[in-house]
Amino acid sequence: MHTQREPASYLLGRGAHCIVIAKGNQKKLHKQLHKQLHKQLHKQLHKQLHKQLKSLPWKRILLQGRTRDTGHGRGEIRRIKVCTVNSLLFPGARQAIQLKRRRMGRKTGKVSIKTVYAVTSLAAEQGTPAELSRLVRSHWKIEALRHVRDVTFAEDASQLRTGSAPRAMATWRNLAIGALRLAGKSSIAAGLRRNARDAIRPLALLGLT
């Protein structure tokens, strides 16, 4: 749903909670760290919200969590800061989140650092920094899964667009991706090609033989 008011209001009106990523798609906007909140905001909501989040006093907020992970030929360190808010341009916003991801390629040694901002309707007693970090991480995994489905299976080009067919096909694609990853396959495309050559291989992969 990205950073849209209507879906968030719908969820909050039914007693649910949400956590959304505020993206800043313009380079100039990314450079506006610590600018005043009262400047004229951009028309698009996610840019407005991103600007507000970046303007919060993050340097004065203590680090509240740090995790390390490895995979896909790189190491990643994630650091999280959280603060309570009450005047952000998003319905039901209770906490703002800053996540910094530092990635280093194990072969190349190349380092990249990316800062991500998010906002959630969960209050401090409902969503701790550790829990919020896990939720955002889950969001990234879902986005990565959708990317694989589109690139490897050409999902966006599929002609199945009516009824429950798109959902059913997405389920089958997720099953294939999950099975290949559990089998230790780093390339989903290569795993699909190998299993397509022999009808017995997919059954063995699923433990059915």
Side-chain angles (χ1 to χ4, degrees):
M1 71 177 187
H2 303 293
T3 314
Q4 301 295 328
R5 292 177 184 269
E6 291 79 8
S9 298
Y10 177 88
L11 292 172
L12 294 170
R14 283 153 181 77
H17 287 285
C18 62
I19 180 169
V20 295
I21 306 298
K23 296 182 179 180
N25 295 329
Q26 294 183 342
K27 292 181 180 180
K28 290 183 180 179
L29 188 61
H30 274 276
K31 294 179 181 178
Q32 293 178 345
L33 188 61
H34 302 308
K35 295 280 184 171
Q36 293 182 356
L37 288 178
H38 299 293
K39 285 189 174 182
Q40 184 178 0
L41 298 176
H42 201 279
K43 290 182 180 181
Q44 296 183 20
L45 175 61
H46 72 274
K47 292 176 182 177
Q48 292 178 338
L49 183 59
H50 189 269
K51 188 174 183 178
Q52 275 200 319
L53 289 171
K54 291 194 73 172
S55 299
L56 294 173
W58 294 110
K59 286 188 176 181
R60 300 201 298 270
I61 299 172
L62 296 176
L63 184 68
Q64 292 159 294
R66 182 178 182 274
T67 58
R68 183 188 296 269
D69 196 10
T70 57
H72 304 289
R74 63 174 180 258
E76 182 176 277
I77 297 174
R78 296 181 294 275
R79 297 178 174 88
I80 187 170
K81 292 182 178 182
V82 182
C83 68
T84 299
V85 293
N86 56 19
S87 60
L88 289 183
L89 297 172
F90 200 79
R94 301 293 298 279
Q95 292 192 93
I97 304 160
Q98 183 197 68
L99 270 163
K100 284 193 175 183
R101 295 185 290 176
R102 182 182 184 274
R103 289 177 174 174
M104 183 176 70
R106 287 183 287 180
K107 291 183 178 180
T108 64
K110 183 178 180 181
V111 175
S112 64
I113 298 176
K114 182 176 182 180
T115 302
V116 177
Y117 295 97
V119 62
T120 180
S121 60
L122 293 167
E125 64 273 14
Q126 297 171 305
T128 65
E131 291 168 335
L132 295 175
S133 178
R134 177 183 57 80
L135 288 170
V136 175
R137 180 66 173 166
S138 299
H139 169 81
W140 288 335
K141 288 182 177 179
I142 292 171
E143 289 297 310
L145 181 61
R146 289 182 59 190
H147 176 75
V148 172
R149 291 207 316 252
D150 182 32
V151 173
T152 306
F153 293 93
E155 185 172 72
D156 286 353
S158 174
Q159 297 301 307
L160 295 173
R161 302 182 184 277
T162 59
S164 60
R167 184 182 302 174
M169 289 305 301
T171 300
W172 285 112
R173 291 170 185 135
N174 288 343
L175 174 63
I177 294 168
L180 289 168
R181 284 180 173 167
L182 286 173
K185 305 297 182 183
S186 58
S187 171
I188 301 300
L192 290 172
R193 288 194 297 269
R194 183 180 184 280
N195 282 275
R197 298 188 189 106
D198 186 341
I200 302 300
R201 288 175 182 170
L203 297 176
L205 189 69
L206 295 172
L208 299 178
T209 59

